[in-house]
Amino acid sequence: MIKRIESIDFLRGIVVILMLLDHARDLFHIHSIDQSPTDLAATTPPIFYTRIITHLCAPIFVFLAGSSAFILFQKSEDKKQFSQHIIRRGAWLILLDLTLVNFGLFFDIRFGLVLVDVLSAIGFSMVIIGLLYRCSSKQMFILAIGIILVQQLLFVVQPTFLKPLSFLISPNAFPLPNGTLLVVGYPPISWLGICLLGYSLGHYFLEKTNSDFGKLGLMLCLLFLVVRYFNIGGDSPWQIEGSWIKQGMSFLNVSKYPPSISFTTLTIGIMFLILSVSQYFGKKWIEIVSTFGRVPLFFFVSHWFVLHLILFVLIFNQGFSLADVEFGFQLSRPKSFIGLSLSQVYMLWVFVALLYFPLCRFYYQWQQKRKNR
């Protein structure tokens, strides 16, 4: 049996907890529907930074998926069997995302809208890794950097002949013959670069020290400062005018859809910095956070249903009926529904996280017993 890598579980735990905050804000905040948290003309610093800190979730999830695949590859005696397993795993994640996860998102049994989410991006990347399993880490690294740079260039230039394939590098939507609207929220090629980068650097989790994590994290954050300062990272130029608070928000307002170079270097850099100081968190806190990170798929799939159940309770408590709820994009709340303030969203976040801790621990223990049998 492959021994779990505690640092990966710890990082995934942080990501899972932050993801819960982001989705709680998205579903419950009073202005989540009519205002973008990163619209500097309308947002406030608390709302803005609540959104920005959750930018860590998707890239770290995708990066660690690649690193985990590398570790599995290193410990597999039969490399061909590894390839087949990773390809099957990737296909399963895509199927799960397009069915159960989408139902949890919209509660629409007709699937009038299907969102290609981060789980599909990871699944696609797993399939590609399974096909390229003969490539060395160095080759994977070169390919990852090439994809990150080229997709950024193509997104900026947007050549006409590539428009039919633009969904591979930027968000897009396609009406299907049966009336379903297919929305590609996570372009597969854009996120493939981050996953392959995680695969190529997977050896860091096996042989590097906290000091090595810190050096790499600082290098990536420094690279972010350079590309962002000179506006060469693929984002909208940051504003120099206004208060220093607005300037700081503008500087950190990097593009996630698709992930820009600034976005990638900042988030992955912070990830390695967190690893470098993880020794100071204490074993108890690391164990608590890792409990969430050991079962990320269970959490990701199920938390949509838990959050929506709570949303239904609030909707009905305000006097609305099931007929007032539109089961479609974002499971639309009634127009006069009174959402939660940001402080209330944070309290709800803590409540659901505490609720999930024993569930995650129980599910992991059940998984281990099942494997042992």
Side-chain angles (χ1 to χ4, degrees):
M1 181 180 294
I2 297 174
K3 186 178 178 181
R4 299 192 68 91
I5 307 297
E6 187 179 64
S7 57
I8 291 182
D9 287 338
F10 177 67
L11 285 172
R12 279 185 176 147
I14 293 175
V15 166
V16 160
I17 294 169
L18 288 178
M19 177 189 69
L20 178 63
L21 171 61
D22 187 43
H23 295 161
R25 178 202 57 78
D26 200 33
L27 284 175
F28 293 93
H29 187 241
I30 188 170
H31 293 304
S32 64
I33 293 179
D34 59 2
Q35 290 181 8
S36 168
T38 56
D39 179 4
L40 299 185
T43 192
T44 63
I47 296 173
F48 175 82
Y49 286 110
T50 296
R51 175 58 178 143
I52 290 300
I53 194 174
T54 59
H55 273 349
L56 294 171
C57 299
I60 294 180
F61 252 144
V62 175
F63 184 96
L64 293 180
S67 297
S68 298
F70 172 83
I71 293 169
L72 180 61
F73 175 76
Q74 292 300 309
K75 307 223 173 184
S76 297
E77 296 180 0
D78 189 334
K79 305 306 182 185
K80 190 173 182 181
Q81 189 178 49
F82 158 83
S83 172
Q84 295 170 348
H85 168 74
I86 288 295
I87 291 174
R88 286 196 301 268
R89 178 71 170 178
W92 164 243
L93 289 177
I94 294 173
L95 178 63
L96 189 64
D97 187 39
L98 299 181
T99 54
L100 186 59
V101 172
N102 264 267
F103 180 75
L105 273 168
F106 309 121
F107 278 50
D108 182 8
I109 59 174
R110 298 185 300 273
F111 286 87
L113 184 146
V114 173
L115 178 64
V116 179
D117 212 338
V118 65
L119 213 58
S120 289
I122 293 175
F124 174 80
S125 299
M126 291 297 100
V127 172
I128 298 301
I129 287 174
L131 296 174
L132 300 178
Y133 74 98
R134 296 181 186 275
C135 294
S136 65
S137 294
K138 184 177 180 179
Q139 291 171 325
M140 287 289 204
F141 180 79
I142 294 172
L143 180 58
I145 298 300
I147 289 174
I148 291 171
L149 294 177
V150 171
Q151 70 91 18
Q152 189 68 76
L153 177 64
L154 292 177
F155 179 71
V156 173
V157 177
Q158 294 187 351
T160 306
F161 70 92
L162 283 180
K163 280 192 174 179
L165 299 176
S166 62
F167 69 94
L168 295 174
I169 60 171
S170 63
N172 220 316
F174 304 93
L176 300 181
N178 66 343
T180 296
L181 181 65
L182 180 68
V183 177
V184 181
Y186 283 73
I189 297 298
S190 297
W191 292 93
L192 172 64
I194 296 177
C195 192
L196 293 182
L197 186 63
Y199 185 94
S200 67
L201 297 178
H203 64 279
Y204 264 70
F205 295 95
L206 296 176
E207 53 192 49
K208 299 297 183 180
T209 64
N210 285 1
S211 176
D212 296 317
F213 291 141
K215 291 175 183 177
L216 182 56
L218 287 173
M219 286 174 56
L220 288 170
C221 288
L222 179 61
L223 180 58
F224 158 74
L225 291 175
V226 172
V227 297
R228 187 62 177 132
Y229 181 81
F230 291 104
N231 290 314
I232 55 177
D235 307 279
S236 300
W238 60 285
Q239 66 182 47
I240 302 176
E241 299 82 13
S243 66
W244 64 270
I245 295 177
K246 284 287 185 181
Q247 290 180 28
M249 290 166 62
S250 178
F251 193 83
L252 292 173
N253 194 15
V254 292
S255 172
K256 179 182 177 181
Y257 304 104
S260 65
I261 295 174
S262 300
F263 174 87
T264 302
T265 52
L266 175 63
T267 53
I268 302 304
I270 291 175
M271 180 195 76
F272 280 111
L273 289 180
I274 292 173
L275 272 180
S276 70
V277 299
S278 61
Q279 58 184 321
Y280 303 110
F281 283 86
K283 289 185 178 181
K284 182 178 180 181
W285 284 107
I286 290 177
E287 174 60 26
I288 291 173
V289 174
S290 298
T291 298
F292 293 93
R294 294 186 186 113
V295 288
L297 186 60
F298 162 74
F299 192 105
F300 183 83
V301 173
S302 64
H303 87 286
W304 293 113
F305 294 90
V306 172
L307 288 179
H308 279 123
L309 178 62
I310 298 173
L311 179 61
F312 282 134
V313 171
L314 291 180
I315 289 173
F316 298 150
N317 189 55
Q318 291 186 19
F320 298 100
S321 67
L322 200 60
D324 297 313
V325 182
E326 182 180 340
F327 293 89
F329 186 66
Q330 275 302 91
L331 189 63
S332 298
R333 308 177 314 200
K335 290 183 179 180
S336 54
F337 172 78
I338 302 174
L340 304 181
S341 67
L342 188 61
S343 60
Q344 290 173 324
V345 168
Y346 271 87
M347 287 189 286
L348 175 65
W349 169 52
V350 172
F351 168 75
V352 177
L354 292 175
L355 173 69
Y356 254 101
F357 177 74
L359 293 177
C360 290
R361 185 168 56 182
F362 172 79
Y363 185 79
Y364 175 70
Q365 292 172 348
W366 174 79
Q367 268 190 330
Q368 295 306 107
K369 290 178 181 178
R370 187 165 169 254
K371 286 180 181 179
N372 290 335
R373 286 200 299 267

